[in-house]
Amino acid sequence: LAAIVAQAAAGAEGAWLSDRLEYLAADLQWLAGSLQQPADAVLRELEARLVYKEFLRENSGLPQTGEGRAVGVDVFLRYAAGQGSLLDFMRQIKTLREARTGRADAEDAVTLSTIHQAKGREWPVVFLPQLNQDILPFYGREETNLEEERRLLYVAMTRTRDQLYISATNDAPLSPFLHELRW
């Protein structure tokens, strides 16, 4: 894979794209050569190369969301300590996933997810329950960023390939976003 990406870098139009593809090829080659190294050391180096926690802090919407995700990376890195090689750790994570879903092939499983975790993924059927005011948008103690909350609803709605089910309870006003959608 690293060689294919390196070839793409050589034929890429523009220095920016070529540079990025070269970095990716180098990272892939390094990662392939690190499979037998201790998992925590490799993953810490990978995080440093990608500056992943900084990316999460800057690109996760609300500051608290980004910080929470960055802390999640730290927790994962601590969990990887003492778990053997990167390859061993990857096998262990696969085993944990299989145990959680009850099967090796989880394609037919039901996935419960937050909207944040659903970004970049897609499912045949999506349920968005309780789209009521004070749930989405959430009016908590801090100032509510309506544009960010509206974007989150859009992200949630666009995660479906075939069927989208939206529901709300009768004991609270509908989300104003549903009124905007003429739902």
Side-chain angles (χ1 to χ4, degrees):
L1 182 58
I4 292 169
V5 173
Q7 285 177 342
E13 292 184 27
W16 182 87
L17 179 58
S18 178
D19 289 347
R20 297 300 180 270
L21 288 172
E22 286 175 10
Y23 291 138
L24 178 58
D27 286 343
L28 288 171
Q29 187 171 13
W30 166 80
L31 195 55
S34 300
L35 292 175
Q36 296 303 324
Q37 299 300 314
D40 60 324
V42 175
L43 293 173
R44 286 184 193 286
E45 174 67 19
L46 181 62
E47 190 285 321
R49 285 173 174 247
L50 300 177
V51 197
Y52 188 55
K53 290 189 297 186
E54 182 179 324
F55 171 82
L56 291 173
R57 286 184 180 107
E58 293 176 2
N59 295 285
S60 295
L62 300 172
Q64 337 44 324
T65 302
E67 188 57 37
R69 289 179 177 178
V71 167
V73 170
D74 286 330
V75 169
F76 184 72
L77 293 173
R78 282 195 303 272
Y79 178 71
Q83 301 292 333
S85 72
L86 180 60
L87 194 56
D88 292 337
F89 184 61
M90 289 168 41
R91 287 182 185 127
Q92 179 184 359
I93 295 295
K94 180 181 179 192
T95 301
L96 289 173
R97 179 185 58 87
E98 291 169 358
R100 190 188 87 192
T101 61
R103 53 188 296 202
D105 179 10
E107 288 185 25
D108 292 336
V110 172
T111 301
L112 296 178
S113 171
T114 66
I115 296 171
H116 287 96
Q117 292 172 326
K119 281 180 165 178
R121 301 185 69 193
E122 192 175 67
W123 293 275
V125 179
V126 172
F127 292 87
L128 299 178
Q130 201 173 354
L131 289 186
N132 292 91
Q133 186 171 312
D134 294 334
I135 300 294
L136 194 66
F138 175 72
Y139 297 111
R141 286 182 244 179
E142 297 179 18
E143 187 175 317
T144 300
N145 182 338
L146 286 177
E147 287 305 311
E148 175 66 11
E149 298 258 337
R150 186 178 287 110
R151 187 188 66 74
L152 284 173
L153 177 59
Y154 177 78
V155 165
M157 292 175 70
T158 58
R159 299 305 89 204
T160 184
R161 281 190 299 260
D162 301 320
Q163 298 173 331
L164 172 64
Y165 294 91
I166 296 174
S167 67
T169 60
N170 291 329
D171 61 346
L174 287 178
S175 167
F177 299 148
L178 293 179
H179 292 295
E180 292 172 10
L181 292 168
R182 296 185 185 104
W183 182 74

